[in-house]
Amino acid sequence: MHTVYDCVEAFGKLLDKEYHLILGRKNVSVTLQINFDKKECFHLMGLQYLTDRPELARDRGKIFDAIREHRITAEHLESSDLYYKIADRINMLPLLESVIDSNDTIFKYNRKINIYSVIKADYIMKNNAEGRNIFLFLAQNGEKGRYFCRSFFPQDKMDYTRNQASWSLLYKKKVTISTGEEEILYENKLLKR
């Protein structure tokens, strides 16, 4: 089982990455750029559910740093009476980069279809990791075409992609921001013409 240390270490590597995707559906294409901020890791781990831990009621970026520096310990968080609610997320979040790297289908997310969902997102990725379906919700960050990871969790009972519009991946690259190095992860044969 992974710990919160594994989560912040894996997410920390993504802070120097961005993804560029081109999606297509019915002769329409959209471009998405996914960026990462350490404040997002708090929600992706599900730490908002640990309401019995007062040390988590402060700036989420500072919480990320405190976990990374072991000032907030995994043992302390795991002793929460509510930790069971996030244990699956904590175990799967270190796989986030490989989930994004390998994903080839993205759904336009219509929250009205999932009437019990309160997740405000624009797109959803569904992938399989370690024998379980994983959902990654993407939301626009205020700038056109720029997105961040809103929520992440393994499938329990509900399939959040059911009845959602599927978009095909046409192109995906990963950029290391500090070096400018680019890695093409997927390119549709039709785009090469």
Side-chain angles (χ1 to χ4, degrees):
M1 290 288 285
H2 291 115
T3 69
V4 291
Y5 303 134
D6 301 319
C7 293
V8 296
E9 181 181 330
F11 197 83
K13 293 174 185 173
L14 286 171
L15 298 176
D16 190 35
K17 307 286 184 196
E18 66 183 25
Y19 288 85
H20 298 260
L21 292 78
I22 300 174
L23 309 177
R25 185 173 199 268
K26 297 183 179 179
N27 295 319
V28 174
S29 67
V30 295
T31 302
L32 281 68
Q33 178 180 321
I34 305 170
N35 294 90
F36 304 90
D37 184 297
K38 64 183 178 181
K39 291 180 179 184
E40 298 159 9
C41 192
F42 179 94
H43 188 77
L44 298 179
M45 286 190 288
L47 295 180
Q48 69 276 13
Y49 294 112
L50 302 186
T51 55
D52 59 347
R53 291 292 175 238
E55 68 275 16
L56 298 178
R58 58 185 173 137
D59 180 87
R60 292 173 175 191
K62 290 180 180 175
I63 292 170
F64 180 91
D65 293 336
I67 293 170
R68 181 184 261 176
E69 297 161 6
H70 296 253
R71 288 182 284 120
I72 295 177
T73 67
E75 296 77 19
H76 189 70
L77 296 176
E78 290 168 8
S79 70
S80 166
D81 291 338
L82 303 166
Y83 189 80
Y84 71 93
K85 290 183 173 187
I86 68 167
D88 280 348
R89 286 184 191 217
I90 298 293
N91 190 44
M92 298 302 238
L93 188 60
L95 307 175
L96 180 60
E97 186 172 3
S98 65
V99 165
I100 298 172
D101 284 356
S102 65
N103 184 276
D104 62 2
T105 305
I106 299 177
F107 300 84
K108 179 73 175 143
Y109 187 64
N110 181 349
R111 197 172 100 191
K112 293 176 184 171
I113 291 173
N114 293 328
I115 59 173
Y116 301 108
S117 174
V118 295
I119 300 169
K120 294 177 182 172
D122 300 295
Y123 291 92
I124 180 173
M125 293 180 168
K126 179 181 177 181
N127 236 30
N128 192 285
E130 297 186 356
R132 292 190 69 185
N133 286 329
I134 305 286
F135 298 117
L136 173 63
F137 293 82
L138 303 173
Q140 198 161 356
N141 75 354
E143 296 179 48
K144 186 175 182 190
R146 294 180 67 115
Y147 292 82
F148 68 97
C149 299
R150 165 82 71 190
S151 193
F152 171 92
F153 50 87
Q155 182 174 343
D156 189 14
K157 295 176 183 150
M158 185 170 164
D159 182 349
Y160 285 82
T161 62
R162 188 168 182 224
N163 298 321
Q164 302 286 342
S166 173
W167 286 65
S168 297
L169 181 66
L170 303 176
Y171 179 80
K172 183 188 338 181
K173 75 177 175 183
K174 179 167 54 172
V175 178
T176 302
I177 299 167
S178 60
T179 64
E181 180 184 339
E182 298 182 356
E183 178 184 359
I184 295 175
L185 300 172
Y186 182 82
E187 189 169 15
N188 187 299
K189 294 174 185 144
L190 298 174
L191 285 180
K192 291 181 182 179
R193 292 183 181 177

